[in-house]
Amino acid sequence: MKNQTHYLLDSDVFITAKNTYYAFDICPGFWDSLLYHHGNGTVFSIDRVRSELLAGSKTDDLVKWIRQKVPKSFFYSVENAQVSAEYEKIMLWVQRHQRYFDAAKAKFATGADGWLVAYARVHGFTVVTNETSAPESRNAIKLPDVCTSFGVQYQNTFDLLRGLGVRFYVQRTTQ
């Protein structure tokens, strides 16, 4: 039996999907597939991502979807001694990294990315993000670079959908 990959989604997966390829009115199947695969025990995120997403306008489609359709079980809590210990290691790595500007370090410290990597590392998840690696960046700490530094697998949304075997089809209507 093949080992099943467990995925942990970054905020940008949801936001980019909503704003581009998988807008709610164009591709409701994307959103249904996330809930379906969550129900199968493979797709999740963390509470820090949920908080970032809910910071949007109450009338935003994504905010409404999370509040009305997404079960609380979709978002794991990071309040755990092992996860906190990993997060501390990640933050220490960030702070000691001379390449990054202080503003990049401060921004990273306020977001969910460090928590995503910590949770994924402790629990063996693959992080899903649309960010691309930029190891020479000084202005931003990219999630793929943190994943790589801590031995955490990552991939983009398209690879997630392929890995889950998701397919979207045209709905034909009669006129």
Side-chain angles (χ1 to χ4, degrees), residues 137-152:
S137 174
R138 297 179 56 77
N139 294 319
I141 301 169
K142 297 296 186 175
L143 185 51
D145 298 325
V146 181
C147 286
T148 299
S149 293
F150 285 88
V152 171

Side-chain angles (χ1 to χ4, degrees), residues 13-142:
V13 170
F14 299 98
I15 295 166
T16 301
K18 174 196 72 120
N19 291 334
T20 58
Y21 305 111
Y22 306 118
F24 284 93
D25 62 330
I26 295 171
C27 192
F30 173 81
W31 306 96
D32 291 344
S33 72
L34 294 182
L35 294 177
Y36 174 81
H37 287 286
H38 168 69
N40 284 347
T42 55
V43 174
F44 300 89
S45 192
I46 59 171
D47 54 1
R48 303 292 171 118
V49 166
R50 184 178 192 272
S51 295
E52 287 181 356
L53 297 174
L54 290 178
S57 166
K58 289 182 181 175
T59 60
D60 182 88
D61 287 338
L62 181 56
V63 172
K64 289 192 290 189
W65 180 74
I66 289 170
R67 289 194 185 281
Q68 297 169 10
K69 305 268 182 165
V70 181
K72 296 266 188 195
S73 61
F74 194 100
F75 298 97
Y76 284 121
S77 171
V78 295
E79 300 301 320
N80 169 299
Q82 283 182 288
V83 173
S84 293
E86 285 302 316
Y87 179 74
E88 287 178 26
K89 291 175 190 172
I90 292 164
M91 292 311 298
L92 192 59
W93 176 85
V94 165
Q95 292 306 317
R96 289 182 174 166
H97 227 294
Q98 295 180 2
R99 174 178 61 229
Y100 300 121
F101 291 136
D102 288 343
K105 293 175 182 181
K107 184 173 189 252
F108 185 85
T110 63
D113 288 359
W115 290 105
L116 274 168
V117 176
Y119 196 94
R121 189 161 192 230
V122 169
H123 297 286
F125 278 66
T126 295
V127 171
V128 181
T129 182
N130 292 316
E131 288 184 19
T132 55
S133 176
E136 299 305 316
S137 174
R138 297 179 56 77
N139 294 319
I141 301 169
K142 297 296 186 175

